[in-house]
Amino acid sequence: MGQYTENELAKDLENQDYKFGFVTDVETETIPVGLNEDIIRLISTKKEEPSWLLDYRLNAYRAWLKMTEPEWAHIKYEKPDFDKITYYAAPKQAKKYESWDDVDPEMKETMAKLGISLEEQKRLTGVAVDFVMDSVSVATSFKSKLKELGIIFCSFSEAVQEHPELVRAHMGTIIPHTDNFYAALNAAVFTDGSFCYIPKGVRCPMELSTYFRINAGGTGQFERTLVIADEGSYVSYLEGCTAPQRDENQLHAAVVELKALKDAEIKYSTVQNWYPGDKNGVGGVFNFVTKRGLCETNAKISWTQVETGSAVTWKYPSCVLKGDHSVGEFYSVAVTNNFQQADTGTKMIHLGKNTKSTIISKGISAGDSHNSYRGLVQIHKNAKNSRNFSQCDSLLMTDHCGAHTFPYIECKNPSAQIEHEATTSKIGEDQLFYCKQRGISEEKAISLIVNGYCKEVLNQLPMEFAVEAQKLLAISLEGSVG
Amino acid sequence: MDKVLTQTKFDVLRTKLSPTIFPISDNSISKAEALLEHTDFPTRKIEAWKYTNVNGLNKLLLDGKSSALTKPNSISKETSKKVHIINGKISKEHSDLAGIKTSWNELPSICEEDSFDALNLLYCTAAIELTFKDGENKTIELIFENTRDTAIFPRIFISCKESAKGTVILNFQGAEKNASFINVSTFVDVEENAHLSIHKIQKNGSETFDLQREYVNQAANSVFAINTFPLSGRMTRNDLRINVNGSNCETFMNGAYTLKGKSHCDNHTTVDHKVAHCYSKELYKGVIDDRATNVFNGKVFVRKDAQKINAFQSNANILLSETGSVNSKPELEIYADDVKCSHGSTTGQLDDEAIFYLRSRGLSEKSAKELLVKAFLGEVLEEVDNEDVRSYVEEEIEKHFST
């Protein structure tokens, strides 16, 4: 790839329909460090929120004060000091680099491998170019199309202002503010996020992604997503960024709530690639996320996740199968390298009759990392003829990493069928030998085998996402041959 | 009121117990007391006791009320040593105690931080050491007969010396309505090249609480097998902890349970593979009826550098009633890469088509189900190498369905 100089960049800028210019310091105001009721009031005032939302935040904060940080997960980290965090910072698209040349070459290389366009690369690294320009038109054209169908897709703050009745009716109904330590923290201090509503019987014609929604580009550490699929509707929602955004924020505590009403279907895909820390395990993001979906009669929620980033991941996308005949699915690939730790899995709560759930989890540990699957399958008394199938495989790449499985299976109905199986092993020598014998280098061979191993999950991802995820896997495992 | 001064649940329980007559060093006493001081029974918040509530222990009167045990049956028919422990105390007249240590200058101290083990030490009612030497290949059966509502605290030490082979049958028999508190600690040492099998039958009275712990250490090239059969009782909890300290070891854990009524059964097993080149296999299967609850928690640890480990773990349950419940948690914690570890867990019901097939051939629904359950548990029984134990358990399973 040719060098991209500041001059060329300036030339590019001149040629474009330049609306907003460089991001200035206007928006970068922050509030005092620390957390107390005044801070929460301040956040609420800044966001011009209605009083019910402020009350909700304060209730959550008071509940949070009484909670203790969970310690049951198989992870070790230094607990964040909640009094040293700034809970409201202006959007992060402030310029980070003066020119493209200042960008870390390692990162440039990674992005080149991912096949990201130069424009996109500049946007992701936050080079002093306003990334808004290019996508704004795209976004607006999509937005008008969505509007025609009655689909609401906007930032959470926008939704609070424009559709308060919808937000108020559904927010916190799936993950109450008292749910857990991080969910309570999020409920108290969340700054923004996404909101999505699909009306009755509408099939969303495109994959909704935060990528298209410009103002979500820099949502903070505490984001909140609420997706409501009304009766008989369908939506596929993509979350996360696929490029290695060097986010220095130490703590991400997001909350995602999905509600699939009668006959609705939500497909939620995540590719998470936050900064995993350096090779010695210094730095990196703590990713403590609460995700849960509720299925009414005949509804379906499918979670697909590819987790390659973050120093510590603590994440259990769950499905509450409340309605009869509802379906929950969980497909996950979690890759850890160097000193990363992941404790991730799912919960499938079967309440309704004839409910079905499938769990496919593929863990890959390399370097000195630890990768755990922790899942719960719970069949309640009335969940007649429920069915669960779980498969959790772990692949170990070196002799100093760890792979663990902690499945909880609880059954209270005699007509339920539950199957769980898990395996742990390393890449077969014979498979490697076979590839190498045909002239494929060891690194390529491993990437090939790992991709095959994850195929079951990657197949669930939307097309473009799957391609990037595959490349991401290869990058994450680079140099991990042990 | 100062919280420290209130009586803990252990304090309440201890008022009903009389201290052991065996000598214990002051050091051991203070160590055990420290574990019981200001301590309540484990609650659901403690991971290992998430599904098991032992609060009912304090409802036991332990007043010594007696009820007749219909048939104090010994299981082993072949010539073997038999030791009878009646209501917690060794009955010398009925037992063959040659070569078995029952008197102590000092009881060995507790080895793990467990409140119930501390209780076992302080209130020990019988301390027995069984030793197996090279070339003997004998079977020892310990028969625990419980005819009174009382608390029994046997402490059992089993030592299988280098190259020795031995079989131990731990046979717990309780009168039908017996409401005892059984608390057993078993310490097992399997030396190099030794081969030890333990068969444990827990046929307790319907109100009995039975909490048992086994601490096993395996040296290189040894084989250890334990078969556990919790057949009846209000609550049965088995904590099996196996440390595999030497290479080329084989470890087998099997269990079959038939639960009905209000019984609660909890099997916790841990295999800790500390060194390379070992094999372990675990198979627990059971049927749950009425309001019974079953808990299974199997843990396989593979430590760093413990390469070439093959570890398999399987738990299968059949839930027969609307009111029963099954909790299964097979866990793997692996820190080495060149291993083959897998686990599986299933919960389901009898296959309708299989029942139909049998019924179409003239079997009643009841006998069709019985046949299928027997076949289901048969997989575990096949692993039992002791003919007497196997036929005894088969008989018990049959009885379980006929009553």
Side-chain angles (χ1 to χ4, degrees), chain B residues 125-138:
Chain B
T125 55
I128 304 161
E129 186 176 65
L130 312 175
T131 312
F132 296 91
K133 292 193 188 106
D134 189 9
E136 284 180 347
N137 190 13
K138 57 184 175 184

Side-chain angles (χ1 to χ4, degrees), chain B residues 186-401:
Chain B
T186 308
F187 304 88
V188 182
D189 215 353
V190 189
E191 292 188 8
E192 281 189 26
N193 294 313
H195 184 148
L196 179 72
S197 312
I198 295 180
H199 307 279
K200 190 161 85 167
I201 283 109
Q202 292 163 294
K203 190 171 182 291
N204 295 315
S206 58
E207 297 305 315
T208 295
F209 280 69
D210 185 358
L211 309 180
Q212 305 209 5
R213 291 155 301 282
E214 283 99 19
Y215 304 104
V216 183
N217 279 298
Q218 265 188 279
N221 307 320
S222 65
V223 180
F224 174 71
I226 182 162
N227 302 314
T228 313
F229 302 103
L231 298 172
S232 60
R234 175 76 183 77
M235 173 178 287
T236 312
R237 159 91 179 204
N238 294 311
D239 270 294
L240 174 60
R241 292 166 211 176
I242 302 173
N243 291 322
V244 186
N245 302 318
S247 56
N248 301 318
C249 283
E250 288 183 26
T251 312
F252 301 92
M253 292 152 284
N254 299 300
Y257 37 88
T258 48
L259 311 177
K260 58 181 178 183
K262 281 188 294 180
S263 60
H264 176 100
C265 175
D266 184 345
N267 285 299
H268 268 64
T269 66
T270 308
V271 188
D272 195 342
H273 285 288
K274 296 183 174 175
V275 287
H277 300 282
C278 288
Y279 176 86
S280 72
K281 183 168 177 262
E282 179 169 22
L283 177 67
Y284 273 72
K285 289 181 113 175
V287 256
I288 293 97
D289 206 347
D290 299 337
R291 293 175 60 197
T293 333
N294 181 63
V295 182
F296 171 82
N297 184 333
K299 236 183 212 167
V300 176
F301 277 106
V302 177
R303 300 283 172 192
K304 208 176 155 186
D305 303 326
Q307 302 292 3
K308 306 273 180 201
I309 297 283
N310 284 2
F312 305 102
Q313 192 186 38
S314 167
N315 174 230
N317 297 291
I318 289 187
L319 187 54
L320 294 173
S321 73
E322 301 276 331
T323 42
S325 69
V326 173
N327 301 297
S328 173
K329 191 181 165 205
E331 293 178 53
L332 298 175
E333 261 190 59
I334 291 157
Y335 300 89
D337 67 332
D338 196 1
V339 297
K340 269 194 200 126
C341 297
S342 66
H343 69 199
S345 170
T346 58
T347 303
Q349 56 284 314
L350 294 172
D351 186 353
D352 281 338
E353 279 181 34
I355 293 174
F356 178 78
Y357 178 89
L358 292 171
R359 294 209 60 191
S360 70
R361 269 142 188 85
L363 268 73
S364 72
E365 181 162 358
K366 190 164 174 273
S367 46
K369 281 183 175 171
E370 206 179 305
L371 191 68
L372 290 173
V373 167
K374 268 197 267 176
F376 173 72
L377 296 176
E379 195 190 339
V380 177
L381 291 170
E382 268 171 25
E383 303 282 319
V384 180
D385 57 358
N386 186 305
E387 196 61 47
D388 295 336
V389 173
R390 190 167 58 213
S391 57
Y392 173 80
V393 176
E394 269 169 8
E395 239 169 74
E396 284 299 321
I397 291 171
E398 204 139 314
K399 265 195 240 163
H400 176 87
F401 286 98

Side-chain angles (χ1 to χ4, degrees), chain B residues 164-179:
Chain B
K165 187 165 194 261
T167 305
V168 178
I169 301 173
L170 301 172
N171 181 7
F172 292 83
Q173 298 284 337
E176 202 183 330
K177 291 267 157 63
N178 184 273

